[in-house]
Structures are given as C-alpha cells and as structure tokens.
Amino acid sequence: MHITTEEIFEEFEELDPRDQSQFLLELGYDLPRFPPEEQRECDLIHGCQSQVWLTARAVEDGSDPVIEFRADSDAEIVRGLIAILLASYSGHTASEILRLPINDVFTRLRLKQYISPQRHNGLQGMVDRIREIARRHAPCTAYTEQSPVQVVLRQQSPAQTVASIDPQEIRRQFPVLNQVLEDGLTPVYLDSGASAQKPQVVIDKEREVEEQYFANAYRGRYRFGARIDEELETARQKIATFISAESPQQIAFTSGTTATLNAVAFGWGTHHVGAGDEILITEMEHHANFVPWQQLAIQRQATLRFIPMTDDGQLDISRLDEVLTTKTKLLAVCGMSNVLGTVNPIKELAARAHEVGAVIVVDAAQSVPHQVTNVVADDVDFLIFSGHKLYGPTGVGILYGKADRLNETQPILFGGHMIDRVYKDHSTWAAPPARFEAGTLPIVQAIGLGTAVDWISGLSVEAIHNHEQRLLRSATEQLQQIPGLTIFGPSVDHKGAIISFRIDDVHPEDLAIMLDRRAVLTRHGHHCAMPLHDLLGVSATTRASFAAYNTDDDVTALVSAIEYARDELPRRP
Ligand code: PMP
C-alpha cells in the first residue's frame, strides 16, 4: 500500500527544509522496485535525466475506469518524486486524474526548492505520460488541457514603471566610464550598438559565481552544481519574463545572435524551405541575419527576396504584397537596424507573414536593449539576441521560439546534454531548450545576463527608451547644423538610438580616429551591413549609438569633437 498525499503533506509540514529534502529521498527508498525484467525500454519515459519506467493498469472496464500506476527509477530522488505522483494519481478514475490540480501538490510540497530544473522537466514528462494514459481512458468531457508543471514554474515579476532615469547616477554604476584615461580625458562611449558596457552589478555577479560556487551546469548534484543549476534557471526565467515569453522552456542559451540565427536557418530552414520556395529578408539586415538566409537559399534552391525600402530607410510596407506571397516560407527581419536605427513594425509583419503561412524570425540584437519586447503580443515565431548589447556579458545569446517552432527545429550542434537517448546507430533529442544547448553552456555569462536583465527592468525599458530618444533628438538636431554632414535613416520618430553619418569628403575612419583624440568613441565602417551601404551608395559611415548611461554632455562632446575633426582634417578633393 502506497503512502497517501495527505500523509506526505503531514510529514512535510512538521519538518524543517533540510529534513524535507531527506524525507523526499526516504520516500524513494520505500518505493517498491521493478525487477530487472520489468525495466523495459518500451515503458521508459523520455525527457528524464535518469531512467524512469512507468506502467499503468485499468482496474476495471467501463468508460471511466480506475487506473493504477507503478513506476521506478534508477535515482532515489526521482523515486521520491514518483512516490508523490503515485500517491496523487494511482487508484483514481481517469477523469479524476485529468481534473487533479497537481500543481497544488507540488506547490504545497515546495518541490521547486529540492529538485533541479532538469528534474522538473523529467517530472513534467511523467505527469504528461500519466495524463496521456488517463486521457485514453476518460470520457471526452473529462479533458482539461494544461501543462501543469510549467504553470508552477512561471513566475511573473511585478511590472515596474519608472517614468524617468537619472543618467548621471546610472553612469556612476559603470566603472569603465568613470576612469581617467592616459590623456586625462574620461571616455564618451558611443558604441553601445556594437557592445554595451556592463554595470557593476553584472561584473559583481560574474565574479560571485567564479569565486563562490562555479561548477558545470546540469551535471553534479553536489552543492555547487545544484546552486549553478538554480542560478541558471533563475536567469532563464528572468529572460523569459523580460520578453514576455510564455515559459522559460522557450528560452535557450546560445553563444550569441550570429550562432542562433544560423541555428534557426539550418535547424528549421533546412527542413521547411525547399526548391522554389522563397525567403524574405530586407536590405537593412546585419550580415548575421543576411548571409545564413542567402546560404540557405543557395542550398535549398530557394529564392531570396527583399522587402522594398523607402528613400528614408524604412520598410515600404505598402509594397509588401509584391514580395510576401504563399511561396514565402520565412520572413527574417531585424527589430531595429544597426546602421539606420530604423524600428520595424514587427507585429504587423508577423501578422502579414502568418496570413501567407510563413514564419517570422526577428533579429532583436539591436531592438531588445531599447524598446519593450513582447514576443506574445507581437506573435513572433523566433526571436534572437545577444547578451553583450544588453549590458550583459559576451559569449551568451538567446533563442526564443514558440513551443511548436522549437519542437520542429532540429539541432545543428550535437553532443552532451542535448540528447534524450544515444544508441550505437542513432540518437534522439532532448526537448527544447536542452536540445539547443549542446556541450557546456556559457554558464557565468548566462547568469550575468540574468542580472543585466534585472538591472534594466529595475530602471524600466520604457524609461531607458524615453531617455535615449531625447538624446537622439537632441544629437540629431545639433548634427544637422554641421555643414556637409549627412545623417542616414529615417526621422527620430521612426528610429532608435543610433545615428550613422558622413561628412562630405571626409573618410569615416579618419573621422572616427579624430573623434577618439577627444575620447569620443564611435565606430566606423560598413557595420556588417554591406548590402545596405551599397543601397546608400557609400562604402562606410561613422556611427554613434546611445545607451542608458549616455548624457547630454556626451552629445555636446560628440558635436564639438566632430566640429574639431572637420576643421582639422584635410578634405579630399
Ligand atoms: N544583428 C544585429 C542587428 C546586430 O547589430 C549584430 C551585432 N552587431 C548582430 C546581429 C550580431 O550579433 P553578435 O555579434 O552578438 O552575434
């Protein structure tokens, strides 16, 4: 006779947290074990880190029979979880099983504190299997479709709205901006579009991990390993909340935007784009969101098409029907251009893409730091960004996908952690996100990114956006007064915090070097957007990009440094 849920609750409530986790193990010790002949491959539950076998028996015939479950695992802690599941589900009718709010049981037992996130996935797998069996036996009216474990894991942080930010106070939090350089100047950092600087809290968090509990993730159950798993999953949850994803299971840690766009192009695109199909992109894309689609089109004998652009550097949505047709399988577009600053109407593009049955992939590398991102409201299929542009570490990026899209995406990196089962002649894959996280993750960076997201959310993305737009407007108005200076891209109302410009007869590289003499740090070149520069008819531009820590003084410094450079530099004839 199994222990009942009530008995488990009673025992739990009397114990302190350390003993509760011991009790979970003891529940496992007491569970009857399967003899080796019953540990059958066909009864294995996939998605579990350990081996879990589960069998079911309908005790009586009829439309709503009582079902008895038996289960076993090779890990004692999992056997403890099994004991809880059996106590909750076994011996109940199919419709009772489907109606049971198993989340309430998990919440009451505070399971999240005792088991790793991977175990949560395994637990989800067991619950899914039990419900699937019950569903087969239950009358149709008993169906209640929800994903119990995921609901428990999702925790919305309360929305914070801060009307404005104090850029001087923010600037003080960035050590790199507060140093006196060798020439006695302090840096005026205007290259956040390439990489943002990191606030002290992010630097401290990375240091804390390295100094206090670093270990590999999802490997060890010793205390460092357990802490790392918890920190990593907390970061995953924060990032999910930050972009309003439905579940943290839809957030995969990757190495950056470039790697992730390739993963979608060749993990999804290869299997869904064929000869004669069309891939739609834009000429304003960064090479990271251009070359993978171009190469996919070549490999799959598909056609790469482009949304026409207006003269001021926006997408010409009035001409979208010319290029978006039932042949289009995929639309890949940036949320914000890294050269023009143009902000694209993602929600509208997603709706239009879906009308013709295409999926939309958003390169959000530039947009995520500057505007609120809501993947559900915008209804995007995939959304991708990098940590280093979001005040976080380098080497970490994010893949968000709708659950169905992720499930139909094949991995392109194979190895440890991303598998479900490896046989000598073939392998099966873990469920997302693990499927896309082969090998050792950028652990410290991912945790640091979670802290960066906290930091931004603490200020509020809206407040950062308002501040940056004010700087952008002021800089634009002042730069427009400089004779011979041309700004590329739309008006401030249609763009984010980036200004790319040229001065007649001055090469952008020479200009950037002169600006550096005044410690005004800007970027020059084609900014990994050659097709766009071809369209603009120039080989390079100088780019100033703004972030939360930039101030009015930075704008003044930029303008005066440009005037200085213009006077100093010899003009080409
Ligand atoms: N897309 C856009 C719009 C970008 O600005 C960048 C970075 N410049 C990338 C993709 C590539 O990002 P990463 O170098 O982090 O892979």
Side-chain angles (χ1 to χ4, degrees):
M1 182 65 196
H2 296 143
I3 189 167
T4 65
T5 25
E6 275 317 310
E7 285 165 349
I8 295 175
F9 289 147
E10 272 170 32
E11 290 273 357
F12 244 69
E13 267 144 32
E14 284 173 10
L15 299 170
D16 67 28
R18 189 188 297 258
D19 292 339
Q20 285 173 344
S21 116
Q22 178 61 28
F23 176 62
L24 197 60
L25 279 172
E26 280 165 16
L27 278 178
Y29 300 149
D30 292 343
L31 190 77
R33 289 170 203 272
F34 278 20
E37 66 277 11
E38 282 191 44
Q39 297 174 356
R40 297 183 313 173
E41 174 90 19
C42 60
D43 292 327
L44 269 177
I45 296 186
H46 294 272
C48 298
Q49 220 178 11
S50 333
Q51 308 253 78
V52 174
W53 302 269
L54 182 126
T55 61
R57 185 173 75 95
V59 176
E60 58 208 36
D61 291 335
S63 71
D64 192 11
V66 167
I67 304 175
E68 280 183 355
F69 295 97
R70 291 174 60 238
D72 190 11
S73 169
D74 54 354
E76 291 308 316
I77 186 118
V78 178
R79 288 166 50 77
L81 296 173
I82 290 173
I84 294 169
L85 288 181
L86 296 188
S88 307
Y89 284 125
S90 191
H92 292 276
T93 64
S95 56
E96 281 168 353
I97 290 168
L98 289 175
R99 277 200 305 271
L100 183 89
I102 192 76
N103 280 342
D104 294 354
V105 177
F106 297 161
T107 309
R108 201 159 155 196
L109 297 174
R110 293 190 292 277
L111 279 191
K112 202 173 173 214
Q113 293 175 22
Y114 307 116
I115 64 173
S116 72
Q118 292 310 100
R119 292 257 181 261
H120 269 282
N121 291 346
L123 189 59
Q124 168 92 57
M126 290 188 256
V127 170
D128 286 350
R129 173 73 70 89
I130 288 170
R131 288 171 59 85
E132 184 194 313
I133 292 166
R135 212 173 282 132
R136 283 208 300 270
H137 289 91
C140 316
T141 47
Y143 283 36
T144 52
E145 294 301 334
Q146 61 157 317
S147 183
V149 176
Q150 288 192 359
V151 178
V152 170
L153 287 174
R154 183 154 170 71
Q155 290 168 339
Q156 283 287 354
S157 64
Q160 281 174 294
T161 310
V162 181
S164 63
I165 56 174
D166 174 355
Q168 295 292 359
E169 165 49 29
I170 290 173
R171 195 187 169 89
R172 279 194 280 280
Q173 300 176 37
F174 288 76
V176 73
L177 302 178
N178 290 300
Q179 58 182 319
V180 177
L181 301 168
E182 57 277 15
D183 46 13
L185 300 168
T186 48
V188 175
Y189 188 71
L190 295 176
D191 197 20
S192 304
S195 279
Q197 300 294 348
K198 286 177 256 322
Q200 187 70 53
V201 280
V202 171
I203 298 168
D204 288 349
K205 185 70 190 183
E206 287 193 84
R207 198 178 170 133
E208 172 194 299
V209 180
E210 298 283 20
E211 288 183 352
Q212 296 180 28
Y213 47 84
F214 176 75
N216 209 318
Y218 311 129
R219 308 290 197 270
R221 289 301 297 149
Y222 52 92
R223 65 196 70 190
F224 288 2
R227 173 79 187 266
I228 281 287
D229 290 359
E230 192 184 307
E231 293 277 349
L232 209 47
E233 290 311 308
T234 304
R236 198 189 296 278
Q237 176 66 63
K238 286 175 185 171
I239 291 156
T241 304
F242 184 63
I243 62 169
S244 293
E246 300 93 327
S247 153
Q249 302 309 309
Q250 288 165 263
I251 302 293
F253 290 117
T254 64
S255 65
T257 302
T258 304
T260 317
L261 285 163
N262 277 274
V264 175
F266 298 101
W268 189 90
T270 304
H271 307 279
H272 293 85
V273 177
D277 289 340
E278 293 182 357
I279 301 168
L280 186 57
I281 64 167
T282 85
E283 279 161 283
M284 70 171 81
E285 298 312 315
H286 185 284
H287 295 162
N289 198 33
F290 196 115
V291 186
W293 307 117
Q294 178 193 66
Q295 295 304 305
L296 178 71
I298 293 168
Q299 280 182 20
R300 304 298 301 158
Q301 296 174 309
T303 306
L304 192 62
R305 302 196 71 184
F306 300 89
I307 302 179
M309 282 175 55
T310 59
D311 291 343
D312 70 347
Q314 296 188 67
L315 296 181
D316 190 347
I317 301 295
S318 70
R319 295 180 55 197
L320 195 56
D321 284 340
E322 293 172 24
V323 287
L324 182 67
T325 69
T326 49
K327 285 186 177 173
T328 314
K329 292 291 166 278
L330 178 141
L331 163 61
V333 62
C334 58
M336 177 174 148
S337 156
N338 68 316
V339 178
L340 305 172
T342 311
V343 172
N344 289 321
I346 296 302
K347 190 173 182 167
E348 184 178 355
L349 289 170
R352 297 284 295 274
H354 293 150
E355 272 170 28
V356 298
V359 307
I360 181 166
V361 179
V362 180
D363 169 1
Q366 291 293 338
S367 55
V368 161
H370 303 292
Q371 61 187 48
V372 174
T373 303
N374 186 325
V375 287
V376 172
D378 284 355
D379 197 20
V380 299
D381 293 284
F382 294 101
L383 184 124
I384 290 145
F385 56 95
S386 298
H388 65 98
K389 296 186 200 282
L390 198 61
Y391 310 96
T394 48
V396 61
I398 296 297
L399 166 64
Y400 158 83
K402 283 184 180 169
D404 289 349
R405 295 289 92 74
L406 291 180
N407 284 328
E408 66 198 26
T409 304
Q410 294 299 308
I412 63 162
L413 275 184
F414 305 97
H417 185 63
M418 51 74 66
I419 50 84
D420 171 33
R421 185 80 172 84
V422 177
Y423 303 89
K424 276 169 90 175
D425 59 346
H426 76 286
S427 302
T428 54
W429 312 138
R435 182 186 301 177
F436 308 109
E437 296 181 340
T440 294
L441 283 175
I443 298 164
V444 183
Q445 293 87 336
I447 295 171
L449 180 56
T451 303
V453 161
D454 269 348
W455 182 82
I456 299 164
S457 306
L459 295 171
S460 110
V461 180
E462 291 97 328
I464 294 175
H465 174 80
N466 292 344
H467 166 67
E468 290 172 347
Q469 291 304 109
R470 203 182 55 73
L471 289 184
L472 179 68
R473 193 172 296 279
S474 160
T476 304
E477 283 166 7
Q478 294 183 57
L479 293 182
Q480 278 167 341
Q481 307 302 316
I482 298 178
L485 188 148
T486 307
I487 296 176
F488 298 92
S491 66
V492 173
D493 290 338
H494 301 285
K495 67 186 276 191
I498 281 176
I499 305 181
S500 291
F501 59 96
R502 275 182 76 101
I503 298 181
D504 290 346
D505 304 326
V506 174
H507 192 277
E509 184 170 1
D510 296 337
L511 178 61
I513 290 169
M514 291 301 278
L515 298 183
D516 179 65
R517 283 200 196 162
R518 293 286 183 96
V520 173
L521 313 179
T522 59
R523 180 171 169 194
H524 68 278
H526 53 64
H527 311 294
C528 303
M530 277 184 182
L532 176 64
H533 280 76
D534 289 345
L535 188 75
L536 298 175
V538 294
S539 63
T541 50
T542 304
R543 182 181 77 179
S545 47
F546 300 93
Y549 39 66
N550 290 119
T551 62
D552 287 310
D553 290 345
D554 292 347
V555 173
T556 308
L558 170 69
V559 175
S560 91
I562 291 174
E563 283 168 342
Y564 155 78
R566 199 179 57 103
D567 295 342
E568 292 288 314
L569 280 169
R571 301 297 179 87
R572 275 179 285 133

